[in-house]
Amino acid sequence: MGRLLSPLALIGAMTLQAMAMLGRISLFTVQTFSHLFRPPFYPKELAIALLNIGWLSLPVVGLTAIFTGGALALQIYSGGARFNAEAVVPQIVAIGMVRELGPVLVGLMIAARVTSSIAAEIATMKVTEQIDALVTLSTHPMKYLVVPRVLAALITVPLLVAVGDVIGIAGGYTVAVKNLDFNAATYLQNTVDFLEARDIISSLVKGAAFGTIAALMGCFYGMNSDRGAQGVGRATKTSVEAAAILILAANFTLTGVFFSV
Amino acid sequence: MIRFENVTKAFGSKKVLRGLTLNVPKGTSMVIIGGSGTGKSVTLKCVLGLIAPDSGTILVDGQDAANAADRDAFLARFGMLFQGGALFDSLPVWQNVAFRLLRGALKRPAAEAREIAIDKLRRVGLTADVADLFPAELSGGMQKRVGLARAIAADPEIIFFDEPTTGLDPIMAGVINDLIREIVTEMGATAMTITHDMTSVRAIADNVAMLHDGVIKWTGPVSEMDNSGDPYLDQFIHGRAEGPIAAVR
């Protein structure tokens, strides 16, 4: 009987664990936002986070976007050719990049680059007692470590998404004009005419949401890391997994909110 | 005075503190000794609120450590030297030492904070040359000294030392012990040190407390330590495998 019930017990235990984790993450998120507008503020830490999360992510975001935009143009042209719809390349590249691929790919690249780095840094600080040291020096770790990183991601990731959207469209444009014989002016005109304000707003809102998720997951798993090198490794890995899954889930939800009507 | 009254703490099924009661008189140096995993670090961390005790009270000059109205002001009374230094590796040495002086209630202009940091570095035997280095560029002994400089930077009333000589060679351990003794005497601070280095105990302590199995087995002046008649303390200070403390824990 015990054996028969054990898979059910396992599912039950895993569900309880998942719910408890969700509860802890929700509480952590509420705590972070409650500290966001209450002093003391650490402008130097915020500036460093803006530089690390925003400026230094530009190369990876740019390269991801340009290759994706180019590949998208080739795919749409090749797929569209099956029913004589090659001409829709500018419109679909624009809509694909701005509505979906720009925010999602930037979000995932930020999860890979920023979430992992935040989680590893904070987890190492935890295992080497640097976070305890912060407390003894009358400095709240949430305010000093978490708030600047989350705020920096909230500010910079929408900008990175905007940059990614533009570079992705530029990638598609380059491929279309150089390889697929599109007229440059017409391509740009079609792109501009086709995009709506809602597309751009959704892209930026997704960027803000994904950035916040990426930074929060890095901070949460870093602050809750187990001891030792293995603990740091596990915190880093889990933070990236959680960030990626939550970004994709949030993308689905936000797409529904913006475009289901 | 720091007063522990029947403090208990368990991590899951592991009961670390089982009713710890101890008085640390103001201006004295108390050293807590005991084997690894007996709850020495937990004891210090309970005072600072880094770990919440399950029951019991900790009073610092009559104020309940768990319910300090102004947490920042309460913590500003303490300095702590961590076992591994716990220096912030993203900050240069002087900013580590002056951390408390660069932000919060004790904030000073950066130039003044740097001067104080360099002064404290000199106090622990380091030159101004190390001020702009990063912790990773320092040896273990130097890191410990920077940690000590940080602990005393804001002239705290109470200083905690967590395993101050662990990982150091005997000469450097002697240097750190002498520094701690000098600083505590000169500042008139109340000190609590946890260690299992008996040389440290003899160099630093006014009073000694032996922690075993979550309770204080013996406490008294360091001068009485060798003739205590307590089997736990005797076994520990002589490092004998046989005795009431199990060698394998």
Side-chain angles (χ1 to χ4, degrees), chain A residues 42 122-142 144-145 223 227, chain B residues 41 44-45 48-51 71-72 74-91 95-101 103 135 143 146-154 160 162:
Chain A
Y42 296 102
I122 295 181
T124 305
M125 287 184 76
K126 189 179 177 200
V127 302
T128 55
E129 295 186 301
Q130 291 180 50
I131 291 181
D132 285 349
L134 275 179
V135 175
T136 65
L137 293 164
S138 309
T139 304
H140 201 303
M142 288 291 279
Y144 185 75
L145 295 174
M223 297 283 268
R227 300 263 163 209
Chain B
S41 293
L44 289 191
K45 288 181 177 178
L48 295 165
L50 296 172
I51 293 174
R71 191 98 203 122
D72 285 355
F74 176 77
L75 287 169
R77 301 177 63 190
F78 292 85
M80 177 150 179
L81 170 62
F82 285 85
Q83 187 176 344
L87 300 175
F88 305 123
D89 36 31
S90 58
L91 299 178
Q95 286 188 28
N96 264 282
V97 175
F99 192 89
R100 205 193 271 280
L101 307 174
R103 42 187 73 75
Q143 286 187 13
V146 173
L148 188 54
R150 184 173 70 182
I152 61 169
F160 290 165
D162 185 355

Side-chain angles (χ1 to χ4, degrees), chain B residues 140-239:
Chain B
M142 288 167 94
Q143 286 187 13
K144 213 74 148 185
R145 285 200 254 183
V146 173
L148 188 54
R150 184 173 70 182
I152 61 169
D155 299 322
E157 298 163 48
I158 303 160
I159 315 177
F160 290 165
F161 303 100
D162 185 355
E163 309 268 10
T165 55
T166 299
L168 300 180
D169 66 71
I171 295 168
M172 187 51 67
V175 170
I176 296 286
N177 286 335
D178 292 347
L179 270 172
I180 290 174
R181 185 68 253 184
E182 280 170 31
I183 286 165
V184 168
T185 308
E186 157 190 311
M187 291 172 68
T190 306
M192 276 183 78
T193 306
I194 58 175
T195 186
H196 30 58
D197 174 357
M198 292 314 296
T199 312
S200 244
V201 177
R202 292 176 202 285
I204 297 171
D206 293 322
N207 297 302
V208 178
M210 167 81 196
L211 179 63
H212 179 71
D213 211 14
V215 293
I216 299 294
K217 290 286 186 192
W218 183 89
T219 182
V222 67
S223 54
E224 294 175 14
M225 184 175 70
D226 291 314
N227 304 305
S228 68
D230 182 86
Y232 290 91
L233 185 62
D234 278 350
Q235 184 191 353
F236 190 84
I237 62 179
H238 295 109

Side-chain angles (χ1 to χ4, degrees), chain A residues 5-82:
Chain A
L5 286 177
S6 64
L8 290 175
L10 190 67
I11 292 167
M14 283 170 69
T15 309
L16 284 175
Q17 261 181 7
M19 289 296 114
M21 181 58 77
L22 199 64
R24 285 205 296 275
I25 290 174
S26 305
L27 198 61
F28 186 84
T29 306
V30 170
Q31 279 175 346
T32 302
F33 281 97
S34 78
H35 283 292
L36 212 55
F37 302 106
R38 282 188 292 151
F41 302 112
Y42 296 102
K44 195 178 160 198
E45 297 306 309
L46 177 63
I48 293 168
L50 287 169
L51 181 76
N52 282 335
I53 297 173
W55 182 251
L56 297 179
S57 296
L58 271 173
V60 75
V61 164
L63 288 169
T64 305
I66 200 157
F67 290 128
T68 306
L72 193 60
L74 289 174
Q75 285 283 16
I76 293 162
Y77 185 82
S78 145
R82 293 180 193 170

